[in-house]
Amino acid sequence: MLVLTPAVLPAASTEPVVVLVDQQRREIVPVVRGEAELVPLADLLQGQPVATTPDPRGGAVTLTSGTHKVTLYDRKSLASVDGDLRLLSSNVLLDAGRWLVPVDSVPRFLGPLLGKRADWRAAQRTLLVGNASIPRLTVRTSVSGNAVRIAIEASEKVPFRVAQEQGRVTVAIPRDVVDVSLQPERLTGGIVDVVQFVGGRDNVFSISLGRRFKDLQAHEEETPPRLVLDFQALPLAAAAEPSPSPSASTAPRAPVPEQPSIRTVVIDPGHGGDDVGAKGPGGALEKDVTLAIARKVRSVVANTLGVQAFLTRDKDQEVALDERAAVANNYKADLFISIHANASRAQGVHGSEVYFLSYQASDDESRRVAALEGGEVPTSASGAAGGGAPSSDVALILWDMAQAEHLEESSSLASRIQDELAEVTGSERRGVKQAPFRVLVGAAMPAVLVEVAFISNSEEEKLLVSDAYQSRIAAAVVRGIARYQREQAHTTVGPGGRDRDKAPSGSRP
């Protein structure tokens, strides 16, 4: 039987971090340095098949598990994961012989190292590694006359704790971690105002009560496991009078979080002027195709998303690679998208590819494409482009550049655009890749390079010069942007979503 008790919400504190490794549970007390929470690496790796090798010169430690290798650097917010540098949220520290790592960045290196899924759940202060049973919670609401029903359904049996306090009802589900399908929802009728998930260690739902709220009845059901809350209303006449109940008149309303927005997009038509780019077997030029598609992307972005959109070039002119990202920075753009057409000597190669920046190409083909599209970022001490491993000094310099801050957002944007393009191009989903594209370096916002199709393929060349096909490509790119925008609105506003002054519409830096 459910009992209504005074609600106690989780307090903000440096409480232990829960670590679930293949459903084995333990707690680690973090170390606070400034605003960062760090956990001892030795505690994190306890019981895992990981060899730890400190650099004899100090300043680095290498972790090895099977064929995977991770290197962490003292006082740097970087991890080398199988040769690929990844940005961490704060510096790794070597403190009195202990290596300390930012807890929220652990999945970025520990998952690949162990070959397992890894996830940090900030709301529950829980680090998941490997297989874990995670209840999924779905909230359904219905408003009918003088009643509101809210049902919280779980994918497996979970404990529900219901509490009523001034102006709201809370439901806590004391599990280490849950998945919740709910966006803050406002209800009509004045009985319940807002339903939202506020999280915390006990996974708390908050239900703000309206001026017509009278009483609540709650019960659990077993098949499927769910909690049903029935809210009853005061008569309309009574609700119109000032309520003597402090719960209806003085309780603060739970705010619905504002969503970050994308306000400015810069689209970069690849090549131009004497730089014609790739040439198709029928004579089509990459510089012409990219400009036509970029103009359509600009139009669709402005008309369907209602945001400002600018081109790095709006005619057949040459623009230096370094100037293209500078245009996006001057506009204070939220996204930078460089449009290109691919080429290959291989017969029958087709489909779209989307890239984001890395100091090291994900494969030889990606390195070739980076060179084809105007040159790679130099990856050796001598400054030569092409194969070979980059020196550690050059790699660290590159990752101190502006684009490193937006790695995850760029990856997410690339993935969403590629998903949409693959539906149009009918490709075998060539996928999202990384390469050292010079045009993306220095972009101070999420940035991607889109290879819309292979102009070297005679069939795709015919499509690329078609106005109808160009429109389909443009629409797919914008659908990808829209998906990215919606998903970013559901996460914490990061560097790519902060409020910044914009260039006036129609102006050029």
Side-chain angles (χ1 to χ4, degrees), residues 258-288:
E258 293 185 3
Q259 297 184 349
S261 62
I262 294 172
R263 296 189 294 179
T264 303
V265 177
V266 167
I267 304 109
D268 171 44
H271 307 280
D274 292 337
D275 176 15
V276 301
K279 185 176 181 179
L285 300 180
E286 181 180 2
K287 68 172 184 175
D288 298 330

Side-chain angles (χ1 to χ4, degrees), residues 261 350 409 485:
S261 62
H350 71 286
E409 294 97 332
Q485 183 180 28

Side-chain angles (χ1 to χ4, degrees), residues 23-108:
Q23 303 194 51
Q24 297 296 312
R25 186 185 190 278
R26 67 176 186 277
E27 295 186 355
I28 298 176
V29 178
V31 176
V32 178
R33 293 289 185 270
E35 296 182 358
E37 281 193 304
L38 310 171
V39 291
L41 187 62
D43 293 348
L44 190 66
L45 299 178
Q46 180 182 337
Q48 298 304 307
V50 177
T52 304
T53 308
D55 187 321
R57 297 170 296 179
V61 62
T62 298
L63 316 176
T64 307
S65 180
T67 59
H68 299 294
K69 182 181 293 186
V70 168
T71 302
L72 303 170
Y73 307 92
D74 182 30
R75 303 188 185 281
K76 292 189 182 296
S77 58
L78 295 167
S80 173
V81 179
D82 292 330
D84 184 22
L85 283 179
R86 300 192 179 185
L87 191 69
L88 308 180
S89 63
S90 62
N91 286 347
V92 173
L93 295 179
L94 178 57
D95 182 39
R98 292 192 309 170
W99 284 92
L100 303 175
V101 295
V103 64
D104 56 347
S105 295
V106 167
R108 301 182 189 181

Side-chain angles (χ1 to χ4, degrees), residues 83-165:
D84 184 22
L85 283 179
R86 300 192 179 185
L87 191 69
L88 308 180
S89 63
S90 62
N91 286 347
V92 173
L93 295 179
L94 178 57
D95 182 39
R98 292 192 309 170
W99 284 92
L100 303 175
V101 295
V103 64
D104 56 347
S105 295
V106 167
R108 301 182 189 181
F109 66 86
L110 188 59
L113 178 67
L114 298 177
K116 296 180 178 179
R117 169 194 174 188
D119 190 18
W120 165 245
R121 301 295 182 93
Q124 294 85 25
R125 298 182 57 77
T126 299
L127 179 64
L128 298 171
V129 181
N131 297 322
S133 175
I134 303 175
R136 180 160 189 81
L137 304 174
T138 303
V139 178
R140 294 182 173 84
T141 62
S142 63
V143 180
S144 176
N146 292 326
V148 169
R149 168 166 286 193
I150 298 175
I152 303 176
E153 187 173 304
S155 59
E156 61 185 72
K157 186 172 178 58
V158 296
F160 292 106
R161 294 180 183 172
V162 182
Q164 184 174 339
E165 57 178 13

